[in-house]
Amino acid sequence: KGFGVRKVGAPEAVDADTVFQLASVSKPLGATVVAAAVGKGAAEWTDPVVTVAPTFALSDPWVTRKVTLADLYSHRSGLPDHVLDNLEDLGATQLQIQQALRYVPLAPFRASYAYTNAGLTVAGEAVARSQGKTWQQLSQDLLYGPLGMTSTSSTLEGFLSRSNRAAGHVKRDGAYVAAYVRDPDAEQPAGGASSSVNDLATWLMLRLDEGRSGGEDVVDSAALLATTTPSM
């Protein structure tokens, strides 16, 4: 169901097909996309990121060679908490943020946990580029399309194209106002998705049925299990 209005001061009601920007719910959604790629043999969770993204580098050359897709999705690379989010806020591109990662001092590799949008984004984008696709194309081909998630996108353009969408709100002087439109394109795998309740319910049913939807295998169960297996 839906409750409330899509935008304060406007009459249009929220329903189960209203599209919201998902922020970090994009991470488990995107992890399902990577799991689908792993299940099709296009990647492995244990792949070093440099094998699919040769220009990627961290400040420690040894960690650069060893850090895997799973390391970045598990936030165990040694990158600091929310590193370089401020660059995104200032309007830096995804490439600029990735290049800046090589100057960041690292905590112990695989022995420390810190939540990083930039690190996880590198992993997701690396898988997409290894297939010659954008993150949106990979997500559409492996997840959104097969599940019929027609209201789901990983781009700001896709979100803004929906007539039935909810505005983001902030609190100002004790009241909520729709003052900003967040542009998360620089971190699409980590925070760029938008979707509806109905589409996300379809995705959750796939998760609960170990990668199956409508009786069909969409995501390999073993590859999907890795996304919910503790690894720190």
Side-chain angles (χ1 to χ4, degrees), residues 5-12 167-170 175-178:
V5 293
R6 302 177 209 164
K7 184 177 181 179
V8 165
E12 290 82 12
H169 291 76
V170 294
Y176 282 102
V177 294

Side-chain angles (χ1 to χ4, degrees), residues 29-54 56 67-73 94 98 118-143 189 223 227:
L29 189 67
T32 310
V33 174
V34 176
V38 169
K40 293 181 182 300
E44 294 291 342
W45 285 112
T46 54
D47 284 344
V49 175
V50 289
T51 63
V52 288
F56 168 71
V67 67
T68 67
L69 300 175
D71 291 325
L72 291 175
Y73 263 89
Q94 186 181 104
Q98 177 181 318
L120 187 145
T121 292
V122 166
E125 291 286 353
V127 175
R129 284 196 297 272
S130 74
Q131 303 304 300
K133 298 180 179 183
T134 64
W135 177 251
Q136 168 64 26
Q137 289 170 331
L138 186 72
S139 301
Q140 180 65 35
D141 292 348
L142 297 186
L143 188 65
T227 68

